[in-house]
Amino acid sequence: MVSSARSCRTRCDESRFLLTSFPPSSLSRAAAGRLVGALDAVLDSNARVAPFRILLQVPGSQVYSAIACGATVEEINQHWEWLEQNLLHTLSVFDNKEDIVSFVKGKVKALIAEETSSKLAEQEEDPEKFREALVKFESRFINHLCFYSFFLGKELKLVIPWVEVQKLERTSNVFMADTVRVTTANKERDFSTFLNIAEAFRIMEQLADVTLRRLLDNEVFELDPDLQDPTQITKRDLEARAQNEFFRAFFRLPRQEKLHEVLDCSLWTPFSRCHTAGRMYTSDTYICFASKEDGCCNVIIPLREVITIEKMEDTSLLPNPIIISIRSKTAFQFIELKDRDTLVENLLQRLKEVNSCNPAHCNNLKNRNQNTPVFGSTCVFRDCESGDVGRGDKSECEKESSYLLNAEALRSDFHQSGGAGLDFGKSREQIKESLWDDHFAEYGRTVCMFRTEKIRKLVAMGIPESLRGQLWLLFSDAATDLALHPGYYAHLVEASLGRCCMATEEIERDLHRSLPEHPAFQSETGIAALRRVLTAYAHRNPRIGYCQSMNILTSVLLLYAKEEEAFWLLVAVCERMLPDYFNHRVIGAQVDQSVFEELIKEQLPELAEHMKDLTPLASISLSWFLTLFLSIMPLESAVNVVDCFFYDGIKAIFRRAARPPPQHVEQERAAKCPILLVFVPSRFLERVKNEESPLPPIGNHHAFFSDDQEASPVTEIANLIHDSYEKFGDHSVEQIEHMRYKHRIRVLQSHEDTTKQNVLRVVIPDVSLLPEDLEELYDLFKREHLIRCYWEAASAAAERHDPSRPYAEQYRIDAQQFCSLYRLLSPWTCGEHTDVLAERMFRLLDENRDHLVEFKALASCLDVMYNGEMNEKIKLLYKLHIPPALTENERDCQSPLKNPLLSTSRPLVIGKSNGDAVDYQKQLKQMLRDLAKEKDTKTEKELPKMSQREFIQFCKTLYSMFHEDPEENDLYQAIATVTTLLLQIGEVGQRSISLGSGSEEFAEDVQPEASALEPDAVFTDTVKSPLKDPQPSPVTEGDWTVSFEHILASLLTEQSLVNFFERPLELKPKLENAKLNQYSLKTTATSCPARGEHPKPSTQQ
């Protein structure tokens, strides 16, 4: 496999070195070598087969020692030359071949050790640089999907930002049994041969979800504190976040709850008289239990309900037991707890912290402890002895405002008396109440009740009217918030009433559209209560404020709960049970709509078969999710769905939405009108009745179809709920959360595409750039914003992205980001002066002085540079050299132009290369006459005149732009001529002012007349003054000025300058180059300046 390409025999005949390479003629051997190298690279990422090697050969031995290797001939020859100069001549002193081998090997090892130590020393000398590189690598890893391959001698590197991923799924095909497909806007990529594909895919999902929500959904998304710094995220952090989200979703707890321990254990369940195996979850303020058998038994224990946590004696029957006593004279016994001592210690510490945060609550406990050994729990039931716990400590504010608040649910004040036909419903209510009383006696009557399959069946039957609001408080745990915040709602009401904002205006518009068919909202009492609750919540959570459909939901809450209780129920729904539903973009609702479409395909294949695209269904079903079916079902039926929602969460809504009877689909399919299939679920849901309700039927004001249309068969709500429980399937909370992960990517990317299309629709009419170029430019602009987010832990750039703003203002970049894009895209390359020009351009475009620039501003300036007329380009350059673009303290304010070409004493007759001469006296006369005429007819706002200092900077920019141009010499000659001409014109204006009457008013009148209205006289002075007085009298810089019209007219006299500025330019090559180099430039970028500061220009290109 190896042939000698070059050899050199040492003086010692027993040893020699060989310079070897793979023989190009032996194709089969080369292929075998590549295969071996490829296998080495697969098994060891650091292993590569070098094409050239230097071997130490010992005659008589079959062992060759590798001394050096190289990837190219030049590299290996350098090693060979070093051997000849430093090693070969010393081998003659050895007589033994073994000594030669030992010496050479020792020498090589010493060189390797020395090089390694020097690298370590260099790293230690500059640890900051090393840490910076490490942070950048970790940032790229956490924000990108990276792939590396070295196979069959070919290297492949792939970097895909997570924010560009539109779909992430596990698939299979005829070649690969299990693959991960990553879909971006332009390509699908399949990855396979994972050691553990399930774990890899789960981590990919979590990384994509964290990155997309952090960068694209920061309107409502709040990242866990442990994940705030992208460079510190590990696999363990991602798994902890996923477990936290599952815990909060499963038990429907506040977002701020942080999971601490998850332990296998068993709980004594008195109703079954045995220990139930399951898992204990402990967080900041909760202890929760879930049985291993789904739905068998769940328990939620707020720490505010806990009195004591004690360890019991360890026995063979009760291993490692603890007892948790709560205020409702109940105790929970847990056994088989590992590391019990540490767990109890942690729980006691958290219990102490909870009690210290609620001193009024603790004092109440102590007072009651004097009378009873075990306390009753805070309970929302009016017949419970502890129902008023915490009420005695209301603030003065609440006492003064209590007369404003409704003390009872509106249902009590506006009770509708039914006819004789409703007696059956009343008797059914009494039976239900009796069943619930029996259940409370056995399973508990507080938040800490045992939640089993039996209670789910009771909820499915419908909660009695008298218990509905109270059970809603317990199931949602809003009762805990109510007890922990006495007087909070009354304070919000007083703080918010009388204030006017966009949210309050929207609330006022919707007040009389909230259940207008119900008598409670046909009076001022109900309307006022609704106004107070919605306004108070908007004041509490301004990020959500008010969203349509909140009025309908709150109206129903007020019917069954007190006003303050309705407020806390609204908090539970908006902030815990339906996260991200009620905001500017309703992302959460749209994600669940996508999940719903997937369930439709699974549960209703007949409907999915006839509607290939289920997107139109979302326009109807979105309101179902936002209003919990209150907008489509009759009220007496919809409240049963709300019952299930408060107990089961979002699963209840999915169950109801995906279960229209198949016969309705058959009817519409028989009509051969696929579009009508969209309305099948709505028509069906409008006909759902509740024959057991004690209330008279109430028409639905929000229904899609009127009563005069052909009636659909009536369905009983109890049958519908039972059917949905039976046929929905075993979709657990974990499965729903997994589907949300998958569909959230698609929804967020859909919003980004909508934003992009709307921005382009606004910008395209105002520029001449091609639409496809403008689209690529937008992608670069957005990527520049995102790259800053990647490279900074707590990036201000991420905070600048505001999805609630108008489309064109959602992405904005600062000065340093703009300078990076300018260097990549600008056709006006000026060497080291490019950064200075970029800074000025940013200040010019930053019209509102917030140190941020939008995409439209960038597109407009590039459009002028690439497609503008010469006068537009010169005007843009002119603006870059006057305030505000040019500042007084700019670092290049000193003139670098000391070229004699700029002397004002030069004659105005320039010799040309062809021997002709151009008399600029005539051109100057005509130019000034044209300017005078143009000034009379011009209606556009006149640009301020340029001072001498500003003019010098303008000249410097022009000189820099012409560097390395093919016509560089002609352009320098032309600009020298124009500059001399303009300096003469400026001095003419200066002298005209000095010859005036001396008053400032007269000087202002004389200057335009001397420079424009009497061009002959002006030109005479310009020619003669240098001859009579070669040294012009010194004047202040402020007196010397030149206008934009002077500069433009002077530049137009030189054809080479005209050709330069009218040369056609292509933006596409710049865009292609920028896409390749945008990331690489960031690896050497310095840290970003603070917001409001302008970056120091960099000389790196």
Side-chain angles (χ1 to χ4, degrees), residues 221-404:
F221 178 60
E222 296 179 1
L223 202 61
D224 298 341
D226 295 339
L227 302 179
Q228 290 290 350
D229 186 355
T231 64
Q232 302 301 319
I233 297 178
T234 63
K235 175 186 172 185
R236 181 180 301 176
D237 294 328
L238 291 173
E239 291 177 346
R241 173 181 178 268
Q243 199 169 37
N244 256 310
E245 290 198 338
F246 167 75
F247 165 68
R248 291 192 291 259
F250 186 84
F251 295 103
R252 298 185 294 281
L253 299 179
R255 284 189 175 185
Q256 61 269 24
E257 283 298 313
K258 182 179 180 181
L259 184 64
H260 292 290
E261 292 103 359
V262 180
L263 302 169
D264 290 330
C265 65
S266 295
L267 170 67
W268 173 255
T269 49
F271 53 86
S272 61
R273 299 187 180 279
C274 67
H275 283 91
T276 300
R279 187 167 289 177
M280 174 190 285
Y281 301 83
T282 66
S283 64
D284 295 333
T285 59
Y286 285 88
I287 301 173
C288 301
F289 174 84
S291 60
K292 291 185 177 179
E293 183 182 349
D294 187 31
C296 177
C297 178
N298 295 334
V299 177
I300 300 175
I301 308 174
L303 284 180
R304 61 168 296 277
E305 294 285 336
V306 175
I307 300 173
T308 60
I309 302 174
E310 300 174 321
K311 293 182 289 185
M312 293 179 59
E313 183 180 355
D314 187 8
T315 66
S316 59
L317 295 178
L318 300 176
N320 296 327
I322 66 171
I323 295 290
I324 299 178
S325 302
I326 63 173
R327 300 167 54 206
S328 59
K329 301 181 181 180
T330 305
F332 295 92
Q333 182 190 76
F334 295 89
I335 63 172
E336 300 175 346
L337 286 161
K338 295 182 179 179
D339 200 7
R340 178 183 61 166
D341 296 340
T342 303
L343 173 65
V344 172
E345 182 181 351
N346 293 338
L347 289 177
L348 289 174
Q349 179 62 31
R350 290 180 211 131
L351 179 61
K352 182 179 179 181
E353 293 174 358
V354 169
N355 292 334
S356 65
C357 294
N358 299 276
H361 168 66
C362 297
N363 293 336
N364 201 337
L365 284 180
K366 292 179 181 179
N367 295 335
R368 295 178 63 88
N369 192 28
Q370 297 175 0
N371 301 323
T372 57
V374 183
F375 316 118
S377 172
T378 299
C379 181
V380 298
F381 291 95
R382 295 172 180 82
D383 58 347
C384 181
E385 64 172 352
S386 57
D388 296 329
V389 171
R391 299 296 193 273
D393 296 292
K394 291 184 179 181
S395 64
E396 292 299 324
C397 170
E398 183 185 11
K399 293 179 181 179
E400 295 175 0
S401 307
S402 59
Y403 69 93
L404 293 173

Side-chain angles (χ1 to χ4, degrees), residues 42 134 136 150 328 345 455 466 482 607 689 816 846 872 899 926 928 935 1041 1072 1076:
V42 171
L134 183 63
K136 289 176 179 176
F150 186 79
S328 59
E345 182 181 351
I455 196 173
S466 59
L482 177 66
L607 181 61
K689 300 298 182 182
Q816 185 171 1
D846 182 20
E872 295 174 333
N899 195 307
Q926 185 61 40
L928 294 177
K935 186 176 181 180
T1041 59
E1072 295 297 331
L1076 297 175

Side-chain angles (χ1 to χ4, degrees), residues 394-522:
K394 291 184 179 181
S395 64
E396 292 299 324
C397 170
E398 183 185 11
K399 293 179 181 179
E400 295 175 0
S401 307
S402 59
Y403 69 93
L404 293 173
L405 311 181
N406 287 345
E408 297 294 334
L410 293 179
R411 183 185 63 86
S412 303
D413 297 336
F414 295 90
H415 181 70
Q416 295 174 291
S417 59
L422 299 178
D423 292 339
F424 172 75
K426 292 181 179 179
S427 64
R428 292 287 300 176
E429 284 289 294
Q430 294 172 357
I431 296 174
K432 291 180 182 178
E433 290 174 2
S434 176
L435 291 174
W436 276 98
D437 288 338
D438 295 341
H439 184 274
F440 291 147
E442 187 174 5
Y443 293 88
R445 192 171 183 144
T446 67
V447 174
C448 306
M449 68 173 66
F450 291 96
R451 308 183 188 210
T452 65
E453 189 64 30
K454 183 177 180 180
I455 196 173
R456 178 179 281 112
K457 293 179 180 179
L458 287 175
V459 172
M461 292 170 57
I463 299 176
E465 293 282 314
S466 59
L467 301 178
R468 177 163 281 133
Q470 301 162 12
L471 285 172
W472 287 355
L473 285 168
L474 294 182
F475 294 155
S476 65
D477 197 31
T480 299
D481 291 332
L482 177 66
L484 288 177
H485 301 88
Y488 177 77
Y489 172 67
H491 173 72
L492 281 180
V493 169
E494 287 201 350
S496 60
L497 284 181
R499 293 195 175 188
C500 184
C501 61
M502 184 179 297
T504 57
E505 293 175 0
E506 294 176 352
I507 290 171
E508 289 297 326
R509 285 199 301 267
D510 289 346
L511 285 177
H512 294 279
R513 292 184 283 187
S514 309
L515 295 185
E517 64 277 3
H518 198 285
F521 299 100
Q522 296 170 0

